[in-house]
Amino acid sequence: MDTPAPRALVVESDTGSVLYAKADDDRFAPANFAKLMTAAVVFDALAAGEIREDDVYTVSEAAWRAGGAPARVTTMFAAPRSTVTVGDLLRGLVVHYANDAALVLAAGFPGGETAFVRRMNETAARLGMTDSRFVNPTGFAAPGATTSVRDLRRLIDYIRTTHPDRYALYALPEFTWNKIRQTNKTGFLRDTAGVEGLVLAYDADALFGAAVSAVRGGRRMLVLASGFRSSAERDKQVKALLDAAYADFSTVQLFPAGATVGSVRVFGGAAGRVDVTGAGPVAVTLPTRDRDGFRAAIAYEGPIPAPVRAGATVARIEITIDGRLYQTIPLVAARDVPVGGLSDRARDGLSELLFGWW
């Protein structure tokens, strides 16, 4: 698996396996990718009850001129001074990459566009998107605006798992507004097997990019890439990465649900160790052929202080290949470990004194 794009990341979403990574922390201008964060902020606000889907926002003259038909950019063709519900603006944003929708949503947000952009960056910080800074809700070129394919993976995973009903908007085949019918701008939906959508992007410096998710045979793959020199090259190479992800990798179950994976030390508990299991079946996606370079180990920050509750995440399996972290699988305690008596705590304290620093 390889690509001419300078930046790329291929992940099996459900296992978290990083099948391919190339300069995944390289920063570039977000362009349309910023609209993923615009959508995430609106999804969060809807879930929190800050705004409602049937709230009505007015299309300002400024939003129409900057993001509508006069600007010759992607638009839902909302008429100036017309009113549009938040739900319809979201559909325009997701299906058409509509810049007028992004601007109207931000302007209607409590506190206006300034507060909206601040929320975009607060969300990025909360999700650990350390390479990202957003300057506007559209992704229009602006000094200081950056992201990375690694950060975009975090954002897309967040949208898919936290707002699955809203995530389904990315698969809408078309949307009509102002009597103008437009098909989904993510053309992969129509010509590539299993694609469930997301977004394509272009910037004069970052060039052509894509974030595409697909499901085939019950396996979800996410391809992120940026820096293609043409849209034709982007389309060809993204399809090739998707096909290779399904053809060259398969999912392997390491442990069935409930099986003991190992044990970890407990400090100050009635028992000195506790068994750990997966939260469900422990599975990893590996190449169908050469798997010799892969290594697995239990990792945790410990010993784990008592009390320990059954089902609490206390450790993880780290799968590595040539020293690179490939996948992390959380492990949970198999049973409760209550706080021990004085002798248990004294024993563990002495053990830490003698061996912890070593």
Side-chain angles (χ1 to χ4, degrees), residues 95-122:
V95 177
H96 304 328
Y97 311 168
N99 290 288
D100 49 357
L103 291 167
V104 175
L105 283 166
F109 193 77
E113 184 172 331
T114 299
F116 190 92
V117 173
R118 182 167 60 248
R119 182 74 64 88
M120 293 174 75
N121 288 302
E122 289 171 352

Side-chain angles (χ1 to χ4, degrees), residues 3-339:
T3 179
R7 302 169 288 272
L9 187 63
V10 181
V11 180
E12 182 168 65
S13 299
D14 295 326
T15 64
S17 300
V18 178
L19 311 186
Y20 177 81
K22 182 179 182 182
D24 60 330
D25 59 352
D26 185 30
R27 297 182 180 184
F28 59 93
N32 271 339
F33 292 132
K35 293 185 176 79
L36 291 166
M37 180 58 81
T38 299
V41 169
V42 178
F43 296 161
D44 283 350
L46 286 166
E50 296 177 81
I51 59 176
R52 299 187 311 172
E53 196 166 340
D54 58 0
D55 284 347
V56 175
Y57 292 171
T58 300
V59 181
S60 69
E61 185 86 11
W64 176 70
R65 291 195 177 279
R72 298 180 180 271
V73 294
T74 51
T75 175
M76 66 183 283
F77 296 101
R81 294 177 295 281
S82 66
T83 57
V84 189
T85 65
V86 167
D88 284 330
L89 288 167
L90 268 178
R91 283 180 272 279
L93 176 75
V94 169
V95 177
H96 304 328
Y97 311 168
N99 290 288
D100 49 357
L103 291 167
V104 175
L105 283 166
F109 193 77
E113 184 172 331
T114 299
F116 190 92
V117 173
R118 182 167 60 248
R119 182 74 64 88
M120 293 174 75
N121 288 302
E122 289 171 352
T123 303
R126 175 165 55 88
L127 298 181
M129 298 172 62
T130 56
D131 302 318
S132 296
R133 178 173 177 267
F134 299 99
V135 177
N136 55 55
T138 58
F140 287 161
T146 64
T147 193
S148 68
V149 293
R150 180 179 63 183
D151 278 2
L152 292 173
R153 178 239 175 141
R154 290 178 183 269
L155 177 56
I156 291 167
D157 284 348
Y158 173 75
I159 292 172
R160 179 179 60 82
T161 58
T162 307
H163 304 291
D165 53 337
R166 307 290 181 187
Y167 178 78
L169 292 173
Y170 288 96
L172 287 178
E174 61 182 47
F175 179 59
T176 299
W177 189 258
N178 201 14
K179 299 181 181 179
I180 300 171
R181 172 183 169 272
Q182 296 186 75
T183 57
N184 196 306
K185 300 290 187 203
T186 308
F188 292 102
L189 274 168
R190 294 180 290 280
D191 58 22
T192 306
V195 167
E196 54 185 5
L198 289 178
V199 68
L200 309 178
Y202 172 78
D203 175 79
D205 295 321
L207 302 179
F208 292 87
V212 177
S213 179
V215 179
R216 300 178 190 171
R219 300 168 62 202
R220 176 176 280 107
M221 298 292 180
L222 176 64
V223 172
L224 295 145
S226 170
F228 295 110
R229 296 192 173 277
S230 70
S231 59
E233 181 186 44
R234 174 200 63 204
D235 294 353
K236 177 182 177 181
Q237 295 297 329
V238 168
K239 289 177 184 177
L241 287 171
L242 270 176
D243 289 342
Y246 285 105
D248 299 343
F249 293 83
S250 59
T251 301
V252 178
Q253 182 172 290
L254 303 181
F255 298 92
T260 298
V261 175
S263 66
V264 298
R265 289 177 58 204
V266 176
F267 182 86
R273 303 189 72 86
V274 63
D275 289 345
V276 291
T277 71
V282 176
V284 60
T285 299
L286 298 173
T288 53
R289 295 182 180 177
D290 184 12
R291 298 174 176 174
D292 291 342
F294 287 86
R295 299 289 181 269
I298 295 177
Y300 64 103
E301 288 70 45
I304 311 300
V308 178
R309 302 302 179 197
T313 300
V314 294
R316 61 194 178 274
I317 295 178
E318 292 185 348
I319 309 290
T320 58
I321 171 78
D322 299 327
R324 173 177 69 84
L325 185 62
Y326 176 81
Q327 182 183 344
T328 300
I329 306 167
L331 297 174
V332 301
R335 61 185 178 87
D336 290 339
V337 179
V339 173

